[in-house]
Amino acid sequence: MDDAIHIRPATPADVPAMRRLEETSFPGDRLSLRSLRRLVRSEQAICLVAETGGLLAGDAVVLLRRNSVRARLYSVAVDPQRRGGGIGARLIAEAERRAAAAGRRTMHLEVRGDNERALRLYAALGYEPTGRKPGFYDDGAAAIVMARALPREPN
């Protein structure tokens, strides 16, 4: 079995599997099929998928606002059975690389304040807390806002 992690841009054919990842990864605040279809086709989003063992094991969505140097890491989902194997970190690294190539200088994100695993991952990747958003999630949970400078792309 090939357990190598292959990261590539998402295609419309990936949307159903991306939706399943949303359902298994998050208790609420999930991206809908409609939203995922729109994001995969959008020039203002970077949508990536990670494949391992021939299966979709994770995805990441980054939003790019026009005329902004900031990118927003909107969603990272990893199959619960594949967590801890570096898939999330690889997706984030590729998302950062592509955001930097698109002229973005910083990456921002929101993460549930009670999601210790994600908070540890983001901190290990160089993200620092910059704020808090009370009641951010649909169940009333607060979000921790984090950011980091993106590496400059060589000219």
Side-chain angles (χ1 to χ4, degrees):
M1 182 167 133
D2 178 14
D3 280 340
I5 300 167
H6 304 285
I7 304 210
R8 62 171 174 78
T11 68
D14 295 315
V15 169
M18 292 171 75
R19 176 64 184 154
R20 284 190 296 280
L21 281 172
E22 288 281 318
E23 291 170 357
T24 60
S25 296
F26 306 117
D29 293 291
R30 299 175 185 129
L31 289 169
S32 67
L33 274 172
R34 182 178 180 181
S35 291
L36 287 165
R37 283 185 192 115
R38 180 181 51 79
L39 288 165
V40 165
R41 289 184 170 97
S42 175
E43 292 181 10
Q44 299 304 304
I46 298 167
C47 297
L48 303 171
V49 294
E51 294 175 316
T52 182
L55 301 172
L56 196 73
D59 65 42
V61 177
V62 175
L63 303 180
L64 306 173
R65 182 174 285 163
R66 284 185 172 92
N67 303 316
S68 176
V69 295
R70 294 171 38 145
R72 180 178 178 204
L73 185 59
Y74 192 59
S75 180
V76 176
V78 176
D79 182 322
Q81 296 179 346
R82 298 288 191 158
R83 289 184 185 153
I87 293 169
R90 291 273 309 274
L91 280 162
I92 294 166
E94 182 63 12
E96 290 173 346
R97 188 188 73 72
R98 289 174 184 251
R104 299 325 189 261
R105 294 187 187 146
T106 59
M107 182 81 81
H108 298 258
L109 61 90
E110 295 90 11
V111 59
R112 285 180 67 97
D114 60 0
N115 189 341
E116 293 296 326
R117 179 180 224 147
L119 286 164
R120 283 191 306 272
L121 172 63
Y122 293 131
L125 295 175
Y127 285 83
E128 296 182 2
T130 61
R132 188 174 186 277
K133 293 182 178 180
F136 183 79
Y137 292 98
D138 63 4
D139 65 357
I144 305 298
V145 181
M146 302 182 85
R148 72 164 282 191
L150 294 175
R152 294 294 199 129
E153 284 290 298
N155 291 334

